[in-house]
Amino acid sequence: MKSSIVVIASLLSWAAPSAAMAQTEAAPPAPVSSEEIEFSADTLDYDFENDIVTASGNVILNRDGYTLRADEVVWNRKTARVTANGNIRSVSPDGDVAYGDKIELTDSLRDGAIDNLLLVLEDGSRLAARSSERFPDGSISLDNAAYTACAVTTEDGCPKNPSWQIKAVKVKYDPVEKRVSYEGARIEIFGLPVIPLPGLSHPITSENRSGILVPDIKFDTVNGAALSVPYYFNIGPNQDAMVTAQLFTNVAPLVSATYRHLGEKGAFQITGFATYSSRIPTGATQALPNAQEDFRGYIATSGSFRLDNNWTLSQSARIVTDRTFLRRYDISDDDSLRSTINLERISNTSYFSLAGWAFQTLRTNDPQNRVPVALPVIDFRKRLADPVLGGRILLQANSLAIGRAEGQDTQRAFASARWDMRKLTKMGQEITFTGFVRGDVYHSSDNALNDTAVYRGQSGWQGRAIATAAVDVKWPFIGEAFGGTQTITPRFQVVATPALSNLSVPNEDARAVDLEDSNLFALNRFPGYDRYEDNVRATYGLEWEINRPNLSFNTIVGQSYRLANNNNIVPEGTGLSQRFSDIVGRTNVRFRDIIKFTHRFRLDKDSLAIRRNEIDATLGGKGTYAQIGYLRLNRNIGNQLEDLQDREELRVGGRYQIGDYWSVFGSAIIDLTDVSDDPLSVSDGYDPVRHRLGVAYDDGCLSLGLTWRYDYEDNGDARRGSTFLFRVALRNLGV
């Protein structure tokens, strides 16, 4: 192969036996061809007899995108070999950088041998070897090599050992495929050999590649030791899949698969789990003879598609073969599964939804044939563009059909109109006038199959007309206080609605009524449409807010008064059944990002007993923090209303950062409910539900975690016991 050096060509024309010069200031040479090596150096010697060029001092060679820097470069034109010595740095067209003590290359600068190689790849990962060879296709073979994606220097530039590395007898790096392959590999974590990795290969690019992902290892007292090995399939730039084989020592293997697709209109994914194993029926207490061999599985799918600028179609579905499969295989703790489909149209002034809902119960002693299916659910809302009498108009039409295999069926439709006008007075009061009208039509059957009489309504066709007028006045007072801004806002509202025949229609969606700060000033304090609060009532409250640098404080408290009793539709204990309601409030405190505190409460109007006490608090920063959540519902409601049972629960959790990378963490859920709160409760007032403890390490390159979790509840073959989960994640190491 003919080769030339641009600068040498000009020197040879002088016929000088030797030359020592810096870069010449002669006229620019002709453009460099693919067969030419362009270079610069402080000094240059040419041995005419042996045809050897020696460049010294800051030598830079370029050819076909390959760059070589060194203290000295010797080019033997007869053998077409280039030898570089001292402070060697070689850069490939892809940006990979190789460092070495001595490099012997052909004059293409692509292939040759390198001693004591350090190869810094495009993504920042490193390969090091005592000896190596680069081939014409750009691939590199390394002997007795090591690979790591971790930094080998501190932030101050001091050297440090990588937290993990892979050592192997032989390593091959393919720059075209962007992949590293190993022979005789083992992984070392903190310098200790941990796991042999025969046949290992992985990419060194952010592009998705097919292959084996990092396995998961865990152990629990029910399933025994478990190993999950996922294989990732890169099907295309907009779709992929993953198949995972899970092996257990105490239960049959489990296979799962996930497929994801992203298109021009939207995206969807589907996940499935399958096994053939024994199961214990829900409620059984012994493993045998109740165990049954059967196919067990679970499927979940979700997706959303933007049909045009206004229309969207979304769906989600979750179906499982039996009630304990998800918990037995530690997939989910949900006690019910929901499947939905929804077609929506959203514009600047309107909203339309056509939806369907289905549920699968996983609760013990909860018959599936009593679980409702809602199809169709139609909702349309339209906001008029122009004000009417100075206020805004919102129109709504809604229809719902609920069916059960065995139980009450209900169909409902209504149309409504709401008018709101907001005014500001010269004295600063904000006054909102509201008018609301609605007409309802219901049809129901098999009402007697509803176990709760207050929810049944009358069978057949029923109608209801609703008319409401309301005035809401806010009067904020703003001023400086406590080094910040203080706002005190008294609020007063009057709502009037003629008496309604609420009990003549079924109650499907307005059962879990409870007075709290979020619905204190609502026109209707019921959560759904099937019950509507009538009579005349006045609601009054006070909000106090302080804002100063790094600190915010907000609290609200209020109560309502009804002219007449209305406990025929509002159960005792909800805070709304008497003329005077209970007193409700909420307090929020936030100090920088260190303290976040929320407290909600409801006090009995007569005895000031705490009927609702809810606390959520976080103390600490990102690395070290403590969390506490407490809920007590003491509503004194009978057990005939399952949606309003009393309960008491404590949730605690926290993390403590040890140094820069280590941390310990934990959490616990404790059921404090006893028979005085819920007559059906079997708890003794202190019944742990679950706790979790663990330790973790994360330096951005290596993540390690060991977690111990204990579940205290039995449900069929989902048994109480310990679960140990070991997690390891290595940057760049997956497929």
Side-chain angles (χ1 to χ4, degrees):
M1 179 179 66
K2 180 182 177 181
S3 299
S4 63
I5 302 181
V6 174
V7 178
I8 288 294
S10 63
L11 292 175
L12 291 179
S13 65
W14 291 18
S18 64
M21 60 180 294
Q23 296 186 33
T24 178
E25 296 182 2
V32 180
S33 72
S34 61
E35 294 185 348
E36 295 175 336
I37 300 177
E38 185 181 22
F39 78 93
S40 64
D42 291 342
T43 61
L44 182 68
D45 292 322
Y46 180 63
D47 184 344
F48 284 90
E49 182 178 352
N50 297 310
D51 202 8
I52 297 175
V53 180
T54 302
S56 304
N58 299 314
V59 185
I60 302 176
L61 284 74
N62 293 283
R63 183 169 188 175
D64 294 339
Y66 288 86
T67 300
L68 176 66
R69 295 173 180 262
D71 292 340
E72 181 186 65
V73 174
V74 179
W75 177 32
N76 189 324
R77 300 184 68 194
K78 291 182 178 180
T79 61
R81 302 295 294 181
V82 176
T83 302
N85 297 284
N87 296 317
I88 299 170
R89 183 176 185 268
S90 176
V91 183
S92 72
D94 294 326
D96 300 330
V97 183
Y99 301 89
D101 294 338
K102 182 179 179 180
I103 298 180
E104 292 186 2
L105 305 171
T106 63
D107 55 10
S108 67
L109 302 186
R110 294 186 182 92
D111 53 315
I114 308 173
D115 293 336
N116 293 327
L117 170 71
L118 172 61
L119 179 62
V120 180
L121 305 178
E122 184 181 1
D123 64 351
S125 56
R126 292 167 168 80
L127 275 165
R130 295 185 181 275
S131 61
S132 62
E133 184 177 1
R134 187 157 68 184
F135 300 99
D137 62 358
S139 62
I140 300 177
S141 177
L142 305 95
D143 297 323
N144 297 319
Y147 168 85
T148 185
C150 303
V152 294
T153 59
T154 65
E155 296 180 356
D156 300 329
C158 299
K160 73 168 187 176
N161 293 324
S163 52
W164 69 267
Q165 60 182 329
I166 299 174
K167 291 186 176 181
V169 175
K170 186 175 286 293
V171 177
K172 183 178 180 181
Y173 166 57
D174 187 339
V176 177
E177 295 294 329
K178 296 290 186 182
R179 196 167 194 90
V180 179
S181 303
Y182 303 84
E183 293 181 14
R186 70 180 187 277
I187 186 170
E188 293 186 357
I189 297 178
F190 302 128
L192 300 175
V194 179
I195 305 174
L197 300 171
L200 174 68
S201 69
H202 63 85
I204 48 86
T205 176
S206 58
E207 298 179 1
N208 293 334
R209 301 293 181 94
S210 298
I212 299 176
L213 299 176
V214 177
D216 285 334
I217 301 173
K218 66 180 178 181
F219 173 83
D220 66 60
T221 54
V222 177
N223 295 336
L227 174 65
S228 299
V229 182
Y231 191 93
Y232 177 81
F233 295 90
N234 181 33
I235 302 174
N238 66 329
Q239 55 183 325
D240 60 16
M242 185 169 64
V243 177
T244 303
Q246 300 184 45
L247 304 177
F248 307 87
T249 57
N250 294 350
V251 72
L254 177 70
V255 176
S256 65
T258 298
Y259 173 77
R260 302 185 300 178
H261 184 276
L262 174 64
E264 294 181 357
K265 295 294 186 179
F268 76 93
Q269 68 175 13
I270 181 170
T271 299
F273 294 79
T275 187
Y276 190 85
S277 66
S278 63
R279 65 180 177 89
I280 304 172
T282 303
T285 58
Q286 299 294 329
L288 293 173
N290 294 316
Q292 302 173 0
E293 292 286 340
D294 201 356
F295 170 81
R296 308 181 71 185
Y298 167 66
I299 188 170
T301 178
S302 63
S304 180
F305 303 92
R306 189 73 177 267
L307 306 181
D308 59 25
N309 291 334
N310 299 113
W311 288 93
T312 301
L313 176 65
S314 59
Q315 62 82 25
S316 65
R318 301 176 67 193
I319 303 172
V320 69
T321 55
D322 58 82
R323 302 193 183 201
T324 59
F325 172 78
L326 294 179
R327 183 175 169 188
R328 173 62 187 266
Y329 283 94
D330 201 19
I331 300 172
S332 171
D333 291 319
D334 294 338
D335 60 5
S336 66
L337 304 181
R338 182 180 66 182
S339 299
T340 69
I341 186 169
N342 191 10
L343 177 65
E344 289 181 298
R345 184 186 187 278
I346 302 175
S347 69
N348 293 333
T349 59
S350 66
Y351 171 80
F352 171 80
S353 171
L354 174 62
W357 301 73
F359 303 87
Q360 181 180 6
T361 181
L362 306 183
R363 301 173 183 174
T364 304
N365 300 324
D366 191 2
Q368 180 64 42
N369 55 13
R370 295 292 186 97
V371 177
V373 174
L375 182 71
V377 182
I378 303 174
D379 190 49
F380 174 75
R381 306 182 191 196
K382 175 70 174 179
R383 186 178 297 277
L384 300 186
D386 299 323
V388 176
L389 300 176
R392 295 289 184 178
I393 292 286
L394 176 64
L395 306 176
Q396 182 180 7
N398 183 281
S399 178
L400 167 68
I402 292 180
R404 296 175 175 86
E406 295 182 12
Q408 180 175 343
D409 296 336
T410 302
Q411 299 85 43
R412 177 196 71 201
F414 72 77
S416 68
R418 176 167 173 164
W419 173 82
D420 289 286
M421 182 178 68
R422 177 176 173 267
K423 294 291 186 181
L424 294 176
T425 69
K426 295 181 179 180
M427 298 182 64
Q429 296 100 335
E430 177 186 340
I431 303 177
T432 301
F433 299 93
T434 300
F436 177 78
V437 293
R438 193 177 94 189
D440 303 344
V441 176
Y442 281 80
H443 180 271
S444 58
S445 59
D446 295 325
N447 301 59
L449 297 178
N450 193 325
D451 296 331
T452 306
V454 73
Y455 295 156
R456 293 173 184 167
Q458 299 177 12
S459 61
W461 291 96
Q462 303 293 330
R464 182 174 60 178
I466 300 172
T468 297
V471 179
D472 193 324
V473 181
K474 300 178 183 177
W475 195 353
F477 296 89
I478 305 175
E480 295 182 358
F482 307 105
T485 302
Q486 174 182 240
T487 304
I488 300 176
T489 306
R491 184 174 181 181
F492 182 77
Q493 179 194 61
V494 175
V495 180
T497 303
L500 301 173
S501 55
N502 275 291
L503 295 180
S504 65
V505 300
N507 182 4
E508 297 280 6
D509 66 0
R511 299 181 177 184
V513 59
D514 196 7
L515 181 64
E516 54 188 55
D517 63 283
S518 60
N519 65 7
L520 177 63
F521 289 94
L523 291 185
N524 180 32
R525 268 88 70 94
F526 284 92
Y529 296 112
D530 291 337
R531 292 290 181 265
Y532 194 91
E533 195 173 359
D534 55 11
N535 213 295
V536 178
R537 71 175 186 271
T539 306
Y540 38 89
L542 181 69
E543 183 175 7
W544 180 28
E545 184 174 5
I546 296 176
N547 286 291
R548 55 170 299 168
N550 302 320
L551 175 65
S552 64
F553 171 85
N554 176 277
T555 186
I556 184 173
V557 63
Q559 187 183 32
S560 65
Y561 172 77
R562 184 183 294 109
L563 292 183
N565 255 347
N566 204 23
N567 59 4
N568 58 335
I569 64 167
V570 184
E572 289 283 350
T574 61
L576 289 170
S577 58
Q578 303 298 320
R579 289 176 181 264
F580 280 98
S581 76
D582 286 348
I583 302 169
V584 296
R586 183 208 68 242
T587 299
N588 290 327
V589 179
R590 180 163 185 164
F591 177 70
R592 295 181 179 175
D593 290 330
I594 301 175
I595 298 176
K596 301 175 186 178
F597 175 85
T598 300
H599 178 224
R600 290 181 172 88
F601 66 90
R602 177 159 67 87
L603 304 179
D604 187 279
K605 66 182 188 311
D606 298 320
S607 63
L608 298 182
I610 300 176
R611 298 304 180 192
R612 180 188 185 98
N613 192 16
E614 183 178 0
I615 297 174
D616 285 292
T618 300
L619 175 64
K622 182 179 180 180
T624 298
Y625 59 85
Q627 295 177 322
I628 184 170
Y630 173 77
L631 173 65
R632 176 172 172 79
L633 300 176
N634 182 25
R635 294 176 291 200
N636 290 334
I637 299 177
N639 58 11
Q640 73 277 8
L641 301 178
E642 74 280 1
D643 303 279
L644 299 171
Q645 293 303 303
D646 289 342
R647 65 176 295 103
E648 187 175 9
E649 181 180 274
L650 176 66
R651 306 178 308 278
V652 294
R655 178 181 292 271
Y656 180 71
Q657 190 76 30
I658 305 173
D660 294 330
Y661 308 126
W662 289 96
S663 62
V664 293
F665 57 89
S667 64
I669 302 175
I670 302 173
D671 185 3
L672 303 177
T673 309
D674 57 24
V675 292
S676 64
D677 299 317
D678 181 2
L680 301 179
S681 174
V682 296
S683 174
D684 59 0
Y686 185 87
D687 192 2
V689 177
R690 167 181 291 179
H691 74 243
R692 184 172 64 107
L693 294 172
V695 58
Y697 173 91
D698 192 344
D699 62 6
C701 182
L702 170 66
S703 295
L704 295 173
L706 178 62
T707 304
W708 169 45
R709 192 188 74 205
Y710 193 90
D711 293 285
Y712 291 84
E713 296 180 352
D714 290 334
N715 186 12
D717 64 348
R719 317 300 291 176
R720 68 174 64 197
S722 295
T723 298
F724 296 90
L725 174 63
F726 176 71
R727 180 182 61 87
V728 57
L730 311 176
R731 178 188 168 197
N732 282 12
L733 189 60
V735 290

